[in-house]
Amino acid sequence: SLTIQFVELGTMDLPPRNSMPKQFADHMDWYDGETNEMDGDGWLYYPILYNSEFWISYGSLKEVNGTMKESVVDVTLEPVPMWKWQLQSGM
């Protein structure tokens, strides 16, 4: 299975791009297009997407080699609070 988490920032006011802490900036992808009415400073960013491997156990893994004909992949997309993402990505 594949779990993709997107980090919920909620109503958090982010600092300007040039003063963003490195721990966040390394995971953020910024939109460098035009400034619009919704964002007067031009600091638009794409959601932080994270491939969560936190709960993968050795028993759930399958060896992929030339003998495997087909496989089913379950994809899950779920929100994760920022504090939980920070904890999981730091381990």
Side-chain angles (χ1 to χ4, degrees):
S1 85
L2 172 65
T3 302
I4 300 174
Q5 296 177 329
F6 60 93
V7 180
E8 285 186 318
L9 298 176
T11 59
M12 179 187 300
D13 290 331
L14 294 176
R17 182 177 179 177
N18 55 0
S19 62
M20 180 68 63
K22 184 175 178 358
Q23 295 86 348
F24 296 117
D26 288 347
H27 297 280
M28 295 185 84
D29 191 15
W30 297 91
Y31 175 72
D32 292 323
E34 299 177 10
T35 303
N36 62 30
E37 299 83 30
M38 292 183 65
D39 187 48
D41 296 330
W43 305 122
L44 297 174
Y45 60 92
Y46 295 100
I48 300 173
L49 296 177
Y50 178 69
N51 178 19
S52 178
E53 299 174 352
F54 191 77
W55 295 108
I56 294 178
S57 64
Y58 184 75
S60 67
L61 298 177
K62 293 183 181 177
E63 186 174 344
V64 178
N65 56 28
T67 61
M68 180 178 268
K69 300 287 184 216
E70 63 181 49
S71 180
V72 176
V73 177
D74 296 319
V75 179
T76 305
L77 179 65
E78 62 184 23
V80 63
M82 180 176 281
W83 68 268
K84 188 174 181 181
W85 168 71
Q86 286 178 303
L87 180 70
Q88 289 179 347
S89 64
M91 294 182 149

